Amino acid sequence: MSTDSTVLVQRQDYRSPDFAIDSVDLELFLRPQDTEVRSRLAIRRRNSGAKDLLLDGEGLELLSLSLDGEVLASDRYSFESGKLRISDVPEHFIVDSRVRIQPEANTALSGLYYADAVFLTQCEAEGFRRITWYPDRPDVLARFTVTLHAPKATCPILLSNGNCVATSEADNGWHWARWEDPFPKPCYLFAAVGGAFHVAKDQYVTGSGKKISLELHVAERDRDACEQALQSLKKAMAWDEEVYGREYDLDRYLIVATDSFNMGAMENKGLNIFNSKYVLASPETATDADYQGIESVIAHEYFHNWTGNRVTLRDWFQLSLKEGLTVFRDQEFSADMNSRGVQRIADVRRLRAAQFAEDASALAHPVRPESYKEINNFYTATVYEKGAEVIRMMHTLLGVEGFRAGTDLYFQRHDGQAVRIEELLDALATGSGRDLSGFLRWYSQAGTPRLKAEGHFDAENGRYHLRLQQHTPATPGQEQKLPVPIPVRLAFFYEDGRAARLPSGDEELVILLQDATQDWDFGPFPRAVIPSLLRGFSAPVLLERADAEAADAFLAQHDSDPFNRWDSLQRLAQKALLASIANPERSVLSTELQAAFAAALSQPLDDPAFSAELLSLPTEESIGQLMDPIDVDGIHVQREALRHALGDIFAEDWRHLYHDLAAPYRRDGRAMGTRRLRNLALYYAMGSAQAEEAQSWAERQYRSADNMTDRLAALQVLAFAPHYDADPLLSDFYQRWQSHPLIIDRWFSLQLGRAAPETLRRAQELLQHPAFSWRVPNRVRAVLAAFAANLPVFHASDGSGYRFYAQQIRHLDDLNPQTAARLATVFSRWSRYDEERQRQMRTVMEELLGKDGLSRDLGEILERSLGVSEERS
Ligand code: TRP
Ligand code: ZN
């Protein structure tokens, strides 16, 4: 098999680079089918034992190669599995190379590619080697000078990292621009762009008075959709100064938006490249969630300028050093910009949906993996989201000031360096004066710890006794697990719902569980108390409390911690659902759940977004995580039954909410929360006995909405309804928005949400639609990810969903391996289903594994999913 021959990269094999690159001079002649790249590298030996120079390259047609100005004889160099070896090189020397590449044929979107008449690059993680011969590793930092040549008519704008130092015109209609980046950087942060754009400009003045020009490059048709991105950028710049003391360091900050991008966005130094989904927004075209996504991704990439770029990675195993820390930073930024409680709920929901699922799958791996075949496969929820939780736990322990002292020291010590996770932990510990050594285990050990809590109130002495125990189940390749440090934030409540003050005077405290079992005593309290544990989700664990039954019913109504109140209510709903899945004769609505809903509905609406969170049903995925095996059909049926029961019992509430909350469009937090709650009311009404009437509300809302959030919400409830013919509205929607790719992505996905057998045929038809394109990842995901998210259809018992999906992955793998591999990870959870589905999933994976020209990306995901790789994590 092709993948067997590919190398397993091991963390322990790290060796520092033999050669340093003092400067890189790149010259690109941009032509869609035939781009020439000239490179001049000034190289210096670092390891006196090294005689030969090894450079990485992939798919490069070598035109010429010389050393210190002399063309190299063919016996001085050779090619070996993706490397160019130049033998017997001197101490200091210059290597000149010229290569030819084909941007238009580059459908993998890694390296230099050409899409929608624009030249773009994506070099993280290992795309630079698809542009020129180079030591493509993050610990080689070099100063870059880049000259871009292109026809002026089609590429009036030419961009790269740093400062534009010269431009000129040639007489053949071409022009060129030269860019110099004053900051040495690893090549994964290199970027170049050529094309025609509308440039939306703004300015930011830093705390020290430096004026920064902000320039957003978008397609001409999107000129009016730039405001949110620019505002978010300015907020992020101010926040990083205030909270971390970090200023921006170049005169210009450039962002380019493209529809053709594998991921969300990329933090290239001074020249971010973004999926247009995270840039473009106007009320008519973007939902409230889209606006918030832009705010958070713009901030994420901006924050990378310090956490990732100024301080970078020694090797790719350290990926979470930049990603975990930067996700933590963007989450905190969003919490400060919006409602902290609602933000935390959303972040934990994502963590559980993606990362807990990953930990429970064959792809479970530590935040810092020990080996990989294809690094692109490790841009995972574990590295990003769990990595952010580990930083958050340390932040919780150190407090705001201790943590800031730690990051100050980190930047002071390591600015301009390529470092490991150890360097961050050491700076945090030294800066704050706290011991954090136990936290390294969170980076090396995979799996979600189970935290068991048992406690009782002793009326004799008024003390509350708490015992905490931890245990992490085995994951592939890691049988034995050791205890990890778990900060538990907690508070106590009296039975009337009032908060109990501790003898210290505080209402909340943080304790640290470090051993397998530990005991605590709290109090004395004058009356019996009930603890609220793991407030704000203070550690990424699965909490099992012995008194869950009573505690959840109580906390769902009384907890003052928004996260815990929401979580308790979710658990009540999950418990009711699991009971009725096991015994469908039972009524799905429990009295505790009904009481909690009634309480949530009767509270004042001062935080409508939080109310909407409280009143939302657990997702089908999250219920599945609690089952073994997962009963896909039972989950869907009972969840719909619960929606129906709640829709009926609270019919009057939904009706009032729906009518009373109607308001003209505004875009502040309250207005967004209100829309969310109102659309939730519509959702319950549509699933209830008043469905027919609600249908007319939805139809009217679809037609008269003054914003995309409401229009799409109305269309969605109708399109997902089992017996409603939504086709006339869907074609109206298509007609209206056909020139907006991001909206048409939604149109594709919307048609795949109905839990009915004909959805498979709809998916097949959509792949034939003229607007479908295999070259645009957003469009491919709009169909395939939406299909896989429809659990009853994807997991159809005859295996038809799996076969359809696998066939598309097979096709996509030839064009875009990164995206194919990512989409294929849904199969990694095969062991969670019944035997027949297991067999069917394994069969399609095994068939894929035999595919001609299987990519390293997809091959690794399939091997690890099936457990056929020799080494793991
Ligand atoms: N570093 C990017 C981020 O901010 C991730 C990324 C963007 C990426 N494009 C990529 C990773 C392509 C791998 C391949 O999160
Ligand atoms: Zn990132």
Side-chain angles (χ1 to χ4, degrees):
M1 212 172 309
S2 55
T3 50
D4 287 348
S5 61
T6 63
V7 203
L8 188 75
V9 185
Q10 312 248 33
R11 185 168 74 88
Q12 70 205 33
D13 291 348
Y14 175 83
R15 285 181 58 245
S16 59
D18 288 339
F19 295 89
I21 309 283
D22 290 323
S23 66
V24 186
D25 252 291
L26 282 183
E27 203 159 356
L28 281 81
F29 297 81
L30 298 171
R31 275 179 295 257
Q33 284 153 14
D34 166 15
T35 284
E36 187 179 321
V37 181
R38 298 181 187 166
S39 138
R40 167 167 294 185
L41 308 179
I43 307 181
R44 186 166 36 89
R45 190 191 311 276
R46 292 187 49 202
N47 169 3
S48 57
K51 288 169 55 198
D52 298 353
L53 172 73
L54 284 166
L55 300 175
D56 300 294
E58 196 182 302
L60 307 173
E61 183 192 341
L62 187 60
L63 302 175
S64 74
L65 183 65
S66 58
L67 195 149
D68 286 335
E70 302 258 338
V71 173
L72 274 177
S74 58
D75 64 346
R76 282 291 306 283
Y77 66 93
S78 58
F79 299 98
E80 48 192 67
S81 62
K83 300 218 186 246
L84 167 63
R85 177 187 292 273
I86 303 179
S87 55
D88 282 325
V89 294
E91 269 320 283
H92 291 267
F93 56 104
I94 303 286
V95 169
D96 281 293
S97 72
R98 289 193 304 124
V99 302
R100 187 154 38 212
I101 53 178
Q102 297 172 39
E104 194 168 23
N106 182 352
T107 57
L109 312 185
S110 160
L112 177 70
Y113 60 97
Y114 182 75
D116 294 325
V118 174
F119 292 91
L120 295 155
T121 56
Q122 172 56 42
C123 294
E124 186 177 7
E126 297 180 333
F128 195 69
R129 64 186 64 187
R130 292 161 61 89
I131 296 175
T132 190
W133 289 103
Y134 198 79
D136 189 357
R137 45 188 289 170
D139 58 351
V140 173
L141 277 65
R143 244 177 257 280
F144 279 67
T145 303
V146 179
T147 309
L148 302 170
H149 302 253
K152 187 158 190 183
T154 50
C155 289
I157 294 185
L158 298 171
L159 310 171
S160 191
N161 319 86
N163 306 312
C164 186
V165 294
T167 58
S168 180
E169 319 240 333
D171 22 334
N172 59 357
W174 281 50
H175 67 150
W176 60 261
R178 178 165 301 141
W179 292 76
E180 256 175 33
D181 186 349
F183 294 93
K185 64 170 176 292
C187 64
Y188 83 85
L189 292 172
F190 162 80
V193 173
F197 298 98
H198 167 74
V199 188
K201 289 196 184 183
D202 205 332
Q203 196 191 57
Y204 176 79
V205 184
T206 69
S208 67
K210 204 169 116 180
K211 292 194 176 74
I212 316 286
S213 168
L214 314 178
E215 304 168 31
L216 196 52
H217 297 72
V218 302
E220 186 56 43
R221 62 159 196 263
D222 299 318
R223 58 181 306 141
D224 296 324
C226 299
E227 201 46 33
Q228 170 72 354
L230 287 170
Q231 293 308 328
S232 302
L233 180 56
K234 287 187 285 183
K235 287 185 202 167
M237 294 176 96
W239 189 89
D240 213 15
E241 289 182 13
E242 190 188 314
V243 180
Y244 286 85
R246 299 294 115 196
E247 269 195 15
Y248 187 59
D249 52 13
L250 286 164
D251 297 336
R252 295 167 77 182
Y253 194 89
L254 311 181
I255 293 179
V256 175
T258 172
D259 290 331
S260 299
F261 203 68
N262 279 339
M263 306 270 283
M266 179 63 212
E267 70 265 24
N268 316 300
K269 184 75 187 188
L271 175 53
N272 290 183
I273 299 180
F274 270 65
N275 187 324
S276 46
K277 180 175 168 47
Y278 294 109
V279 175
L280 305 174
S282 69
E284 303 74 41
T285 61
T287 63
D288 295 336
D290 292 334
Y291 271 90
Q292 295 200 298
I294 293 168
E295 185 178 77
S296 107
V297 178
I298 290 268
H300 179 96
E301 305 312 329
Y302 176 72
F303 297 154
H304 269 316
N305 190 54
W306 277 96
T307 51
N309 301 4
R310 289 289 288 260
V311 182
T312 195
L313 312 178
R314 189 192 75 166
D315 58 76
W316 290 115
F317 293 103
Q318 317 300 327
L319 183 57
S320 194
L321 174 66
K322 72 177 175 85
E323 296 304 347
L325 178 53
T326 304
V327 170
F328 170 72
R329 277 151 54 71
D330 84 54
Q331 289 178 348
E332 285 298 291
F333 166 74
S334 295
D336 284 347
M337 297 299 121
N338 306 288
S339 152
R340 180 162 282 272
V342 172
Q343 180 68 32
R344 187 62 184 142
I345 291 167
D347 290 340
V348 177
R349 212 188 313 100
R350 194 195 351 246
L351 175 80
R352 286 173 171 164
Q355 202 282 321
F356 283 20
E358 194 162 72
D359 258 348
S361 82
L363 297 179
H365 58 276
V367 175
R368 182 163 71 181
E370 293 297 336
S371 67
Y372 61 78
K373 285 188 171 177
E374 172 51 64
I375 185 56
N376 283 320
N377 287 332
F378 284 87
Y379 287 74
T380 61
T382 298
V383 169
Y384 276 66
E385 263 75 34
K386 187 177 178 180
E389 293 298 320
V390 179
I391 302 288
R392 179 178 297 278
M393 286 188 284
M394 295 189 281
H395 184 270
T396 298
L397 285 181
L398 305 187
V400 172
E401 278 149 36
F403 189 82
R404 171 68 189 269
T407 56
D408 282 353
L409 185 60
Y410 176 66
F411 296 124
Q412 182 198 319
R413 280 180 175 172
H414 302 298
D415 187 10
Q417 298 177 2
V419 302
R420 301 164 307 162
I421 283 162
E422 282 82 350
E423 273 71 53
L424 175 63
L425 264 56
D426 190 80
L428 291 175
T430 308
S432 66
R434 295 264 317 226
D435 175 21
L436 293 173
S437 50
F439 278 86
L440 210 48
R441 195 169 283 155
W442 275 104
Y443 287 94
S444 61
Q445 198 164 273
T448 309
R450 272 45 172 178
L451 177 65
K452 228 193 219 165
E454 271 177 294
H456 64 267
F457 178 71
D458 185 345
E460 294 277 283
N461 58 12
R463 301 189 72 84
Y464 190 90
H465 176 78
L466 178 68
R467 168 166 295 177
L468 295 178
Q469 290 176 284
Q470 62 166 303
H471 162 74
T472 304
T475 53
Q478 267 189 352
E479 291 309 313
Q480 296 308 317
K481 307 282 184 177
L482 295 164
V484 287
I486 299 178
V488 178
R489 189 185 289 281
L490 61 119
F492 293 91
F493 290 91
Y494 296 117
E495 280 161 352
D496 62 4
R498 292 201 358 259
R501 213 169 272 285
L502 291 150
S504 64
D506 298 325
E507 282 185 4
E508 189 179 74
L509 82 164
V510 178
I511 57 176
L512 183 63
L513 171 68
Q514 288 178 288
D515 305 333
T517 304
Q518 272 174 255
D519 293 281
W520 281 269
D521 256 317
F522 302 97
F525 299 104
R527 284 170 282 134
V529 288
I530 300 153
S532 160
L533 300 171
L534 210 68
R535 307 187 102 205
F537 204 62
S538 60
V541 300
L542 280 161
L543 174 63
E544 298 162 9
R545 46 190 296 177
D547 63 345
E549 195 109 346
D552 285 337
F554 175 81
L555 296 171
Q557 294 195 39
H558 299 294
D559 205 322
S560 53
D561 178 62
F563 173 81
N564 263 13
R565 182 161 174 218
W566 169 79
D567 205 28
S568 302
L569 214 163
Q570 290 285 304
R571 263 199 305 272
L572 291 180
Q574 284 163 348
K575 200 184 121 215
L577 285 162
L578 290 176
S580 61
I581 293 165
N583 177 5
E585 306 296 297
R586 252 179 91 117
S587 150
V588 63
L589 186 53
S590 65
T591 45
E592 296 89 354
L593 182 59
Q594 189 178 332
F597 256 68
L601 279 164
S602 65
Q603 79 186 16
L605 274 183
D606 38 45
D607 188 351
F610 179 57
S611 293
E613 285 290 3
L614 282 179
L615 296 167
S616 293
L617 293 179
T619 63
E620 293 186 1
E621 280 280 359
S622 77
I623 304 157
Q625 287 187 7
L626 304 168
M627 299 188 75
D628 186 21
I630 299 172
D631 175 0
V632 189
D633 300 310
I635 292 171
H636 181 73
V637 168
Q638 294 304 327
R639 190 174 176 276
E640 283 301 307
L642 180 56
R643 171 190 179 189
H644 203 298
L646 290 165
D648 286 347
I649 290 218
F650 297 108
E652 281 314 299
D653 297 86
W654 305 130
R655 172 187 299 275
H656 281 131
L657 284 173
Y658 187 74
H659 293 297
D660 298 351
L661 295 180
Y665 183 80
R666 283 185 308 130
R667 226 196 51 74
D668 53 77
R670 193 181 169 86
M672 289 193 285
T674 302
R675 275 191 286 281
R676 191 153 159 210
L677 187 55
R678 180 166 184 257
N679 285 318
L680 185 71
L682 176 62
Y683 164 86
Y684 279 112
M686 272 293 291
S688 75
Q690 54 179 337
E692 220 165 291
E693 198 190 338
Q695 207 168 285
S696 65
W697 304 348
E699 286 166 346
R700 199 168 338 113
Q701 177 172 325
Y702 171 77
R703 292 191 200 287
S704 63
D706 60 359
N707 65 84
M708 185 50 82
T709 306
D710 286 339
R711 198 184 297 279
L712 210 53
L715 185 54
Q716 175 161 322
V717 285
L718 292 169
F720 287 17
H723 305 297
Y724 182 86
D725 178 12
D727 285 349
L729 294 185
L730 284 163
S731 52
D732 173 80
F733 190 81
Y734 185 82
Q735 292 310 320
R736 243 183 234 243
W737 303 111
Q738 54 185 319
S739 64
H740 291 75
L742 295 170
I743 306 181
I744 294 305
D745 289 338
R746 309 297 286 259
W747 178 83
F748 274 91
S749 301
L750 266 181
Q751 300 177 60
L752 300 171
R754 188 176 288 173
E758 72 262 19
T759 299
L760 173 58
R761 196 164 28 81
R762 184 61 75 110
Q764 285 161 334
E765 286 164 13
L766 288 176
L767 294 178
Q768 305 305 317
H769 192 279
F772 183 79
S773 165
W774 284 105
R775 288 179 73 124
V776 183
N778 286 357
R779 192 58 47 92
V780 173
R781 286 187 286 256
V783 175
L784 296 186
F787 181 82
N790 186 329
L791 302 188
V793 172
F794 178 66
H795 294 282
S797 56
D798 61 0
S800 55
Y802 303 147
R803 284 192 298 277
F804 164 75
Y805 193 81
Q807 210 178 341
Q808 312 320 319
I809 300 283
R810 174 180 294 263
H811 179 63
L812 184 61
D813 190 46
D814 292 332
L815 299 168
N816 187 332
Q818 263 183 51
T819 302
R822 190 165 283 274
L823 287 167
T825 59
V826 289
F827 287 129
S828 70
R829 300 199 281 275
W830 60 271
S831 69
R832 309 272 299 109
Y833 296 85
D834 57 75
E835 269 175 43
E836 182 54 21
R837 288 185 170 94
Q838 290 193 9
R839 197 186 56 73
Q840 283 163 340
M841 274 189 258
R842 291 188 63 100
T843 303
V844 298
M845 281 192 280
E846 277 155 11
E847 283 169 8
L848 275 177
L849 208 42
K851 165 183 178 284
D852 282 341
L854 178 69
S855 69
R856 176 168 55 196
D857 308 59
L858 181 56
E860 184 185 33
I861 293 297
L862 295 170
E863 286 174 1
R864 286 167 53 220
S865 295
L866 287 163
V868 299
S869 52
E870 336 73 75
E871 294 91 346
R872 286 176 218 143
S873 67

